[in-house]
Amino acid sequence: MAGENKLYGVLAEFESPKDLLHACEKVREAGYQKWDAYSPFPVHGIEAAMGQKPSPLGWMSFIGAITGASLGMLMQWWMSAVDYPLVISGKPLFSWPAFIPITFELGVLFGALTAFLGMLLLNGLPRPYNPLFSSERFARVTDDRFFIAIEAADPKFRTAEAKDLLTKLGATHVELVEGQA
Amino acid sequence: MLTKNQAQEQQLQLSDPIDRRAPLILGNPSFNKITEDICRPIEGKTHVVWWLYFFMAASILSILGGALGHLIYNGTGIWGLNNPVGWAWDITNFVFWIGIGHAGTLISAILFLFRQKWRTSINRAAEAMTIFAVMCALIFPGVHVGRIWVAYYMLPLPNQMSMWPNFRSPLLWDVFAVNIYGTVSVIFWYMGLIPDLATIRDRAKGKIRQIIYGFLSVGWTGSARHWMNYEKATLILAGLSTPLVLSVHTIVSFDFATSVLPGWHTTIFPPYFVAGAVFSGFAMVATLLIVVRKAYDIEHIITIRHLENMAKIMTVTGSMVGYAYCLEFFIAWYSGNPYEIFIFKNRAFGPYWWAYWTMFTCNVVSPQLFWFKALRTSPVAIFIISIFVNIGMWFERFVIIATSLHRDFLPSSWFYFSPTIWDILTFAGSFGLFFTMFALFLRFVPMVAIAEVKSVLPQADPHFEGEMPKDDPSPAPARKAVAESEEEGDLMPATAVARQGAH
C-alpha cells in the first residue's frame, strides 16, 4: 500500500487513570489539537482535562424522538381518517387520545435509533482499519492500559518534542506508530 | 504480608467513603484480573457441562418446534380453549415472559439513572435475559391468532383489502410496544457490548475469532472522544428505556383494563402490572445468576451484596403486588357492583381457588421472608424463593385471565378451562428457547460488562491515591477472595503477586 510507512503519530502508554488524566491536561496546555486519549473504560473528568466540547447527541436524539412521534401521529391520522375512513365504536375518525400510545412508542424508537446511529456517526464508526491497531501494546487498551496518541497531522507536531513531552508526563512506554490516518 | 493497620487502611480506601459498605467487587482485583475472569469462559475449551446444558435446552427447544408445527397445521383447536375462555395459556405465557424481561431494563436503565453502581455486575446478563424473554413472549401473540400466515395484518402494511389496522385497539398498541421494546433492548444491549467485544477482539488468537469479534466491535479503540459520545448515548438510551419499559407493561395491562370485563376493568392494572413485571424479572435474574456466578467462578464480581440488593427489590415489588391484590378486593366491594364482587369472590373461592392461593402464597408470602438478613444473604434461600416467585407470577397472569373469563355473565356459558398437552408443551418449549439462547450467550458473549465493572473499581477513579493492585496470576482466586471476605467479615486484600513480564 502507498503511504504504508507514513508516520501516524506518537503513542504513549500510561499505567493508571490518574496518570492519564494528568497527562491529558498537560498535552492540552502544550497546545496540541489532533490528539486523543484511549482507555479501557471512560475516565471520569477526562472531557474537561482534554477540553472537549459537550456531545451534540442529546439534541440529535431529541429531534429524532420528535420526528418519530410526529410521524407516528401523522401515520395514524392518515390511515384512520384520510386513506380509509372507518367509524369504529362511534368515535371520531381522528380520535387522537387513542393514538397517543403508538405515537409515544414511535418517538422512543426514533430517539433510540438516533442515539445509537448518531453515536456511531459522531465517532466515525464502524472503522475497520486504524493505524493504532498496528501497535502490539495498544491491544491492552481494552484491558488495563491507558494511552495518549498525538497525531503527526497536528500543526504543532514535532516527533522529538512530542516524545519528550509524553515521556516527561510519566509514560511508561513511548513509540512511533506508522500508517495512514 | 500486610499488617492489620495497613489492611484496615486499605479496607477504608476500598469501601465507599460515605456509607462504609463492602466494595462492589471483592478481592481488590486489578483491571487485568477482571478482564481475565470474565473472558475465561468464552475463550477456553467448551466445557462438557456446557454441552450437557446446551443439549438439554436445545432438546426442549425442539419440543417448541413440534408444538408450534402442530399448532400451525391444525389451528388453535389443539389447545384447551373454548367459549368463553378464548385466551388462556397463550396470553398467560406472553405476559409472563414479557414481564420477566422488565427486570433487565430496570437494571440497565432505571438503576443507571439512579447511579446505582452495583448494577454493573449484573446488567449484561439481565439485559440478555430481557432480549430472550421478549423473543419467547413474541411467539405467543404471533401464533395465537391461529392463521399465522396472516399475522402481518397486525402491522400497518398495505394489504389486499386496502385496510389499515385499528389504531384504537390496545392489542395493536401492544404490537408496537413489544416490538419497539425488543428493538430498543437489542440496541441498548449491543451498544453496551461494543467495548467488551473489542476486548475479546484484542485478545483473540485465531483469525476467525479476530474477524468476527473485530466486525462486531466496529473498530472500537476506547478513544476518550468516542467514550464521551458513547456515554451520552448510554444516558439517552437509559432515559428513553425508562418510560418505555413502564409503558410496555402498562400497555400490556391495557389489553385487559380497557375491556369491560369484571376483574379486568380496573384502573390499578398499569402500576400493578409494572410492579409485578419487575418482581418476576428480578426473580428470574436471581435464579439465573445464582447458578452462573457459581458455575463460572465469578462470585467476587456478582457478590452477596448484589444478591441481597436483588432480594430487597423483590420484597419491595412483591409487597406492591400484594397491596394490589388486596386493593382489588377492596375496590370490588367498594364499587357495589355485583358482577365485580362476584368475580373476586369466585377468584379466591371458586373453582380456581387453588391457582389463586398458589399465586398469593408464592408472591405475597414468600418475598416477605427476605426481611430476615440470613435468608436474603443466602444464595440457596434466594434461589428457592426466586423459583417460588417465578411460579407465582405465572399463576398471577393465569388467575387474572382465566378466572375473569370462565364465568361469563350468563351461567349457561360457564366453562372450566383445562390445558391440553399442547398448551403444556408449548409453554415448556418456550423455556427451551430461553435457555438455549442463554447458553449461547454464556459461551460467546462476555456475561458481565467488563468495561463497566472496571469503571466502578476504586482505582478507576482518577483521584485514587493508593497503590494500583497488582495482577494476580493464580488461576481461580475468586473463591479465595470470597472465602476470605466471608471469614474476616470484611475485605482483606488478596495477596498480590506481581506478574512476570510486566514493566
Side-chain angles (χ1 to χ4, degrees), chain B residues 149-478:
Chain B
W149 46 94
V150 291
Y152 68 90
Y153 283 180
M154 289 190 274
L155 304 172
L157 294 171
N159 57 44
Q160 75 275 27
M161 300 183 295
S162 24
M163 282 179 78
W164 300 107
N166 174 16
F167 293 105
R168 295 170 193 88
S169 164
L171 298 181
L172 194 73
W173 303 346
D174 221 14
V175 172
F176 277 84
V178 174
N179 281 298
I180 288 173
Y181 178 51
T183 311
V184 173
S185 297
V186 170
I187 292 174
F188 202 1
W189 188 65
Y190 175 64
M191 204 182 80
L193 267 171
I194 290 174
D196 292 358
L197 292 172
T199 302
I200 308 290
R201 170 200 69 198
D202 290 343
R203 294 165 55 89
K205 300 276 186 289
K207 194 85 198 155
I208 297 173
R209 249 183 120 76
Q210 282 175 345
I211 291 173
I212 292 174
Y213 286 101
F215 177 79
L216 292 174
S217 57
V218 297
W220 184 259
T221 54
S223 145
R225 295 174 201 280
H226 291 184
W227 274 121
M228 188 185 64
N229 289 320
Y230 179 90
E231 283 196 287
K232 188 81 179 181
T234 309
L235 179 67
I236 294 167
L237 285 177
L240 287 169
S241 297
T242 299
L244 175 66
V245 71
L246 299 179
S247 83
V248 170
H249 231 60
T250 298
I251 290 176
V252 168
S253 82
F254 284 168
D255 291 347
F256 306 100
T258 57
S259 73
V260 290
L261 210 63
W264 285 4
H265 189 63
T266 45
T267 47
I268 201 179
F269 259 26
Y272 158 33
F273 268 52
V274 171
V278 171
F279 180 47
S280 66
F282 265 92
M284 190 57 105
V285 176
T287 310
L288 295 172
L289 290 187
I290 285 170
V291 179
V292 164
R293 71 195 277 273
K294 194 92 193 161
Y296 286 98
D297 199 18
I298 51 171
E299 286 163 292
H300 57 308
I301 295 174
I302 302 174
T303 65
I304 296 290
R305 180 174 162 192
H306 294 97
L307 297 181
E308 188 182 349
N309 284 350
M310 287 196 266
K312 285 177 182 169
I313 294 186
M314 273 192 259
T315 308
V316 172
T317 47
S319 305
M320 286 158 89
V321 165
Y323 169 76
Y325 294 163
C326 300
L327 197 70
E328 275 188 319
F329 276 82
F330 171 76
I331 294 292
W333 167 77
Y334 191 66
S335 71
N337 181 331
Y339 298 105
E340 196 76 20
I341 295 170
F342 169 79
I343 207 81
F344 279 96
K345 273 190 193 159
N346 181 54
R347 194 174 270 186
F349 305 108
Y352 284 112
W353 64 270
W354 54 272
Y356 183 82
W357 293 105
T358 305
M359 166 196 99
F360 201 89
T361 316
C362 290
N363 291 351
V364 184
V365 180
S366 71
Q368 300 305 325
L369 294 172
F370 288 139
W371 287 103
F372 298 101
K373 177 117 182 159
L375 289 175
R376 69 170 186 267
T377 51
S378 148
V380 178
I382 300 174
F383 183 78
I384 294 170
I385 293 174
S386 74
I387 297 280
F388 275 112
V389 172
N390 286 326
I391 295 170
M393 283 309 293
W394 186 86
F395 270 100
E396 178 195 296
R397 282 63 177 255
F398 177 73
V399 164
I400 291 171
I401 293 168
T403 65
S404 303
L405 287 171
H406 84 122
R407 293 223 157 148
D408 208 346
F409 292 98
L410 285 176
S412 59
S413 351
W414 287 5
F415 175 65
Y416 185 81
F417 168 85
S418 310
T420 64
I421 183 73
W422 297 105
D423 282 299
I424 296 165
L425 289 179
T426 315
F427 178 49
S430 66
F431 276 94
L433 174 63
F434 183 74
F435 284 116
T436 306
M437 295 306 295
F438 205 74
L440 295 173
F441 161 71
L442 292 175
R443 184 70 186 99
F444 295 108
V445 179
M447 66 184 85
V448 175
I450 305 173
E452 287 195 64
V453 165
K454 282 177 191 163
S455 74
V456 301
L457 291 175
Q459 70 268 27
D461 186 335
H463 304 291
F464 176 69
E465 291 299 335
E467 206 176 310
M468 295 287 281
K470 298 281 188 305
D471 299 339
D472 186 346
S474 56

